[in-house]
C-alpha cells in the first residue's frame, strides 16, 4: 500500500512563504518523477513543479522564480518552497508520484491580500 502524505499548508499573507512536504511510504518498485500540482475551485489541476531522480526540474510558468522544488537525498520525500506568494496561488496542492501516478490527499494553501 503506497501512501503520499502532504504537509505544510496553511494561510499566509501575500508576499509570505510556505514550505510543503510530501513523504512517500509503502512498497515502491518504480519511481521516475515526483512533483506538485494544484487545483483552485472550478479549475483544472495544473502543474506546479516536478523533479526527476537525476535532479532535472520543471516549473509551471506562473511560479517560475518564486517556487523551488527539492528532494531529500536517499528518501522518497519532496519539498516545495514557496516564496513571494500571491493570492492567485490559493488552492489545494497535491503531491504526485510517476510513473505509477499515485496522488496524495492534498493540502490547502490560502493566500490573502
Amino acid at each position: 500500500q503506497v501512501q503520499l502524505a502532504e504537509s505544510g499548508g496553511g494561510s499566509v499573507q501575500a508576499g509570505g512563504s510556505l514550505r510543503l512536504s510530501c513523504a512517500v511510504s509503502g512498497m515502491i518498485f518504480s519511481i521516475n518523477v515526483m512533483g506538485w500540482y494544484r487545483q483552485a475551485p472550478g479549475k483544472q489541476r495544473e502543474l506546479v513543479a516536478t523533479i526527476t531522480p537525476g535532479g532535472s526540474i520543471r516549473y509551471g510558468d506562473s511560479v517560475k522564480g518564486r517556487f523551488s522544488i527539492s528532494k531529500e537525498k536517499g528518501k522518497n520525500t519532496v519539498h516545495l518552497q514557496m516564496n513571494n506568494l500571491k493570492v492567485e496561488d490559493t488552492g489545494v496542492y497535491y503531491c504526485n508520484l510517476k510513473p505509477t501516478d499515485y496522488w496524495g490527499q492534498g493540502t490547502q494553501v490560502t493566500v490573502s491580500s
Side-chain angles (χ1 to χ4, degrees), residues 73-89:
K73 188 177 180 63
K75 294 185 177 182
N76 293 323
T77 302
V78 65
H79 304 281
L80 183 70
Q81 179 66 46
M82 305 186 294
N83 297 324
N84 192 24
L85 282 160
K86 303 177 179 180
V87 173
E88 307 92 90
D89 295 317

Side-chain angles (χ1 to χ4, degrees), residues 5-86:
E6 301 102 334
S7 62
S11 298
V12 66
Q13 291 288 106
S17 299
L18 287 171
R19 191 181 80 138
L20 307 184
S21 298
C22 174
V24 181
S25 62
M27 293 186 178
I28 303 172
F29 299 98
S30 181
I31 297 176
N32 187 26
V33 178
M34 296 184 69
W36 291 94
Y37 296 75
R38 68 186 182 187
Q39 188 168 24
K43 305 293 183 180
Q44 285 192 326
R45 192 170 299 184
E46 65 175 344
L47 169 73
V48 176
T50 60
I51 185 167
T52 72
S56 297
I57 295 172
R58 179 177 180 175
Y59 294 104
D61 289 341
S62 63
V63 307
K64 288 180 179 178
R66 299 187 298 117
F67 291 9
S68 179
I69 189 170
S70 63
K71 59 183 179 181
E72 293 188 22
K73 188 177 180 63
K75 294 185 177 182
N76 293 323
T77 302
V78 65
H79 304 281
L80 183 70
Q81 179 66 46
M82 305 186 294
N83 297 324
N84 192 24
L85 282 160
K86 303 177 179 180

